[in-house]
Amino acid sequence: MAVPLPTDRTRWRCTLCGNLTRFDVTRTSKVVEYTHLDLAGEPKVEEREVLSDSVESVRCRWCNAVDRIELVDRPGADA
């Protein structure tokens, strides 16, 4: 089940311990990258287009709870 991403008005919160700041996020992304190789063969990504991106799970870094993350309003989001 995909986890909703925080917005400019919301943030993640662990319902088990109350953590608001530290999470391990597992995500799947599909991207197209334009990679330029210099003459020595060192790659450098110069353009990146994200075709799809989904968060699959979020684990609390403090208590290791998985699937216990909710979206809550950010302070001052009503302003």
Side-chain angles (χ1 to χ4, degrees), residues 7-75:
T7 66
D8 57 346
R9 297 187 162 275
T10 62
R11 63 181 176 177
W12 284 326
R13 179 183 174 277
C14 178
T15 60
L16 193 62
C17 73
N19 171 32
L20 292 165
T21 60
R22 304 287 190 264
F23 301 96
D24 289 318
V25 180
T26 302
R27 65 190 326 141
T28 299
S29 299
K30 185 174 184 179
V31 298
V32 174
E33 294 178 335
Y34 169 66
T35 303
H36 178 210
L37 296 149
D38 65 17
L39 293 176
E42 293 297 321
K44 178 182 178 187
V45 175
E46 293 187 354
E47 294 176 17
R48 186 172 195 253
E49 177 186 359
V50 178
L51 302 176
S52 66
D53 186 33
S54 66
V55 175
E56 296 185 14
S57 68
V58 180
R59 181 176 61 87
C60 177
R61 219 3 135 74
W62 289 0
C63 70
N64 286 324
V66 178
D67 299 329
R68 300 289 304 264
I69 309 305
E70 65 179 357
L71 283 179
V72 296
D73 291 336
R74 289 182 192 251

